[in-house]
């Protein structure tokens, strides 16, 4: 099997072998083969609830937050949290995403707390406990509402506002395109908290809002005034996609995450790790595609020449394998650094790693589809679905051009201290 770097992670961190076995066993039972568009689509939300019953939804959170019964699996035996040392929680989450991606990119929501981690980490105790009960204990799903139709990845340009009314906020605006609009029990909403006088005097184009710091809040989907609208994406169709419309939604101040103005810190900390998770989902899919293509190359021939002996075929597969392995190594090394210090996240490197990984994964699957010939272009193989899904993840959570730009800007401004190459080799 083409799993060299994920195996290397287990060699470096043998404490995660039991956890990896639990995730693999779960997938072997509930999702034994890669998904094709021709086959019946699994009930992904049902699989997530089963993962919660198996204790596979809270292992990425601080152990102090995940108390029994959340930390336990079926029949009360120790759950996955017990298998994961606290400093390896992010690495474990990355392993789960990589293994899930080998079966299907839509399996990315089956394991871990996902975006609900923001509410648990930054919410008031009652909010954190309620979200923990539903997301970890009940296997429900949390969503995130950040981008807006007019602003895309420009966080400063967000125009969704929460008008401060003293004991509550009134939320207005539109978010899109947003994943999980039908499945999520609640959303982490990024917005601008303003006073009534500011809201009354605001201009139509919202330029003044660029100077208002970002805030975050937890919003149950069932709140009065929340309207949803769905659309059909090219790929990633296992979960709904669409828009959230907020019409003067009354939000208690206790639903704020952190303090007003903490939104950018919360966003950068969470999405640095989350981008690596999406990268590893794609890399898992790419590794499976490379394996399948290598097996086909051994079986097929061109005239009397085995496909595996054609130099151009060998070179393209080797290039794809090298790129996927290198990107996987970078992602796991960044997750290991985050595990050592959650407060010292290299936002620029995590952003670029996600871009590099999804680009490399797309190329690998594209080569695999090509070498499958006309069959690869059908819905009978997982190749075409992987290609569409990974294409979507090259846009989600920040388009790749933007993410490469984040690294370039960091290097140009020297916003992070350089790390000695000698010190890296000695580590």
């Amino acid at each position: 099997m083409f799993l060299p770097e994920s195996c290397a992670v287990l060699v470096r961190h043998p404490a995660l072998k039991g956890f990896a076995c639990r995730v693999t066993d779960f997938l072997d039972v509930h999702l034994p083969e890669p998904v094709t568009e021709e086959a019946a689509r699994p009930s992904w939300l049902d699989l997530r609830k089963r993962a919660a019953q198996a204790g596979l939804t809270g292992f990425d959170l601080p152990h102090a937050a995940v108390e029994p019964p959340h930390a336990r699996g079926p029949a009360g035996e120790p759950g996955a949290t017990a298998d994961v040392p606290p400093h390896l929680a992010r690495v474990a989450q990355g392993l789960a995403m990589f293994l899930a991606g080998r079966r299907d990119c839509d399996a990315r929501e089956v394991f871990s707390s996902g975006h609900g981690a923001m509410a648990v980490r930054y919410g008031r105790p009652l909010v954190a406990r309620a979200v923990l009960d539903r997301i970890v204990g009940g296997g429900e799903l949390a969503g995130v509402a950040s981008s807006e139709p007019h602003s895309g990845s420009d966080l400063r340009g967000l125009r969704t506002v929460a008008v401060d009314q003293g004991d509550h906020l009134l939320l207005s605006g539109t978010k899109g395109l947003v994943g999980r609009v039908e499945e999520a029990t609640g959303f982490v909403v990024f917005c601008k908290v303003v006073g009534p006088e500011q809201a009354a005097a605001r201009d139509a184009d919202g330029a003044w809002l660029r100077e208002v710091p970002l805030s975050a809040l937890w919003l149950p989907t069932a709140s009065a005034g929340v309207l949803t609208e769905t659309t059909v994406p090219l790929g990633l169709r296992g979960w709904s996609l669409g828009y959230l419309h907020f019409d003067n939604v009354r939000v208690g101040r206790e639903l704020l995450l952190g303090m007003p103005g903490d939104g950018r810190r919360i966003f950068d900390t969470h999405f640095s790790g989350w981008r690596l998770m999406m990268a590893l989902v794609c890399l898992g899919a790419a590794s499976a595609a490379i394996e399948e293509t290598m097996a086909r190359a051994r079986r097929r021939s061109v005239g009397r020449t085995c496909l595996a002996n054609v130099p151009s075929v060998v070179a393209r597969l080797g290039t794809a394998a090298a790129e996927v392995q290198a990107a996987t190594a970078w992602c796991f090394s960044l997750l290991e650094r985050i595990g050592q210090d959650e407060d010292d996240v290299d936002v620029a490197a995590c952003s670029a790693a996600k871009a590099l990984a999804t680009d490399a994964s797309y190329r690998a699957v594209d080569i695999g589809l090509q070498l499958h010939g006309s069959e690869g272009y059908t819905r009978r193989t997982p190749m075409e679905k992987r290609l569409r899904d990974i294409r979507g993840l090259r846009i989600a959570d920040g388009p790749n051009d933007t993410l490469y730009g984040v690294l370039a800007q960091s290097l140009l401004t020297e916003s992070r201290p350089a790390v000695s190459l000698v010190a890296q080799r000695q580590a």
Side-chain angles (χ1 to χ4, degrees):
M1 296 177 69
F2 178 63
L3 296 171
E5 187 50 41
S6 59
C7 291
V9 171
L10 295 179
V11 171
R12 291 196 301 273
H13 306 294
L16 292 180
K17 289 182 179 179
F19 168 79
C21 287
R22 289 173 65 88
V23 172
T24 301
D25 289 345
F26 180 91
L27 290 168
D28 286 345
V29 171
H30 300 291
L31 201 65
E33 298 292 337
V35 176
T36 68
E37 195 67 20
E38 188 175 79
R41 181 179 299 166
S43 173
W44 296 112
L45 194 57
D46 181 62
L47 281 184
R48 178 170 174 80
K49 292 180 183 297
R50 291 177 182 271
Q53 294 169 0
L56 291 169
T57 50
F59 58 84
D60 58 309
L61 295 170
H63 284 203
V66 188
E67 300 171 352
H70 303 118
R72 309 198 73 79
E77 73 266 20
T81 303
D83 293 336
V84 179
H87 70 287
L88 294 177
R90 292 301 188 111
V91 178
Q93 189 180 16
L95 270 173
M97 293 294 179
F98 182 88
L99 294 170
R102 287 178 55 80
R103 309 302 168 97
D104 192 79
C105 289
D106 281 326
R108 68 194 183 280
E109 303 288 1
V110 172
F111 304 113
S112 86
S113 60
H115 294 309
M118 287 184 280
V120 175
R121 293 175 187 272
Y122 303 105
R124 274 61 168 177
L126 287 178
V127 172
R129 175 51 57 183
V131 173
L132 193 69
D133 287 343
R134 302 188 72 170
I135 302 303
V136 174
E140 297 182 15
L141 194 65
V144 62
S146 54
S147 63
E148 297 177 6
H150 64 275
S151 68
S153 58
D154 178 15
L155 293 177
R156 289 188 64 196
L158 299 188
R159 299 179 193 171
T160 297
V161 297
V163 181
D164 192 343
Q165 302 290 337
D167 64 335
H168 67 279
L169 308 169
L170 288 179
L171 182 69
S172 300
T174 295
K175 294 292 186 181
L177 291 160
V178 177
R180 321 157 195 86
V181 292
E182 293 184 332
E183 299 89 357
T185 190
F187 289 87
V188 175
V189 178
F190 288 91
C191 60
K192 306 291 185 73
V193 175
V194 300
E197 66 287 347
Q198 290 176 292
R202 64 187 181 184
D203 53 89
D205 66 5
W208 65 281
L209 281 170
R210 296 189 66 83
E211 306 308 317
V212 178
L214 199 64
S215 297
L217 56 86
W218 172 254
L219 182 68
T221 309
S223 301
V226 177
L227 304 175
T228 62
E229 176 188 355
T230 59
T231 188
V232 180
L234 175 68
L236 299 172
R237 296 175 184 168
W239 303 93
S240 58
L241 182 74
Y243 300 85
L244 289 172
H245 304 285
F246 309 125
D247 183 13
N248 282 324
V249 181
R250 184 185 176 101
V251 181
R253 291 189 67 86
E254 72 278 2
L255 295 181
L256 277 168
L257 304 182
M259 300 297 292
D262 280 349
R264 187 57 191 253
R265 175 178 66 88
I266 293 171
F267 183 95
D268 285 346
T269 301
H270 174 75
F271 273 93
S272 292
W274 187 253
R275 283 169 176 153
L276 296 176
M277 301 308 158
M278 297 303 96
L280 285 163
V281 166
C282 294
L283 291 165
S287 73
I290 290 171
E291 284 181 21
E292 293 164 12
T293 306
M294 288 179 171
R296 181 180 177 87
R298 296 186 193 102
R299 296 192 307 267
R300 305 282 288 189
S301 61
V302 178
R304 296 182 178 181
T305 304
C306 176
L307 201 59
N309 293 329
V310 177
S312 61
V313 170
V314 173
R316 295 184 74 188
L317 280 173
T319 299
E323 290 182 345
V324 167
Q325 185 169 341
T328 305
W330 191 17
C331 289
F332 275 117
S333 71
L334 289 169
L335 288 176
E336 289 167 346
R337 287 172 57 185
I338 292 175
Q340 293 169 7
D341 187 354
E342 285 275 354
D343 296 324
D344 184 27
V345 176
D346 191 337
V347 176
C350 292
S351 299
K354 185 262 185 181
L356 180 70
T358 52
D359 281 348
S361 298
Y362 188 85
R363 286 192 293 269
V365 174
D366 187 45
I367 290 169
L369 188 152
Q370 185 75 15
L371 293 177
H372 271 71
S374 57
E375 186 179 8
Y377 199 58
T378 70
R379 289 154 43 117
R380 297 176 55 189
T381 75
M383 292 296 179
E384 64 88 28
K385 184 178 188 303
R386 287 176 182 141
L387 202 69
R388 288 187 289 103
D389 289 350
I390 294 172
R391 188 64 187 86
L393 289 170
R394 294 171 71 198
I395 300 172
D397 306 324
N400 283 3
D401 288 347
T402 299
L403 298 185
Y404 285 126
V406 172
L407 178 60
Q409 188 65 23
S410 173
L411 296 173
L412 289 168
T413 60
E414 297 183 349
S415 58
R416 288 186 64 86
V419 179
S420 167
L421 181 60
V422 174
Q424 285 182 323
R425 287 174 177 169
Q426 291 174 345

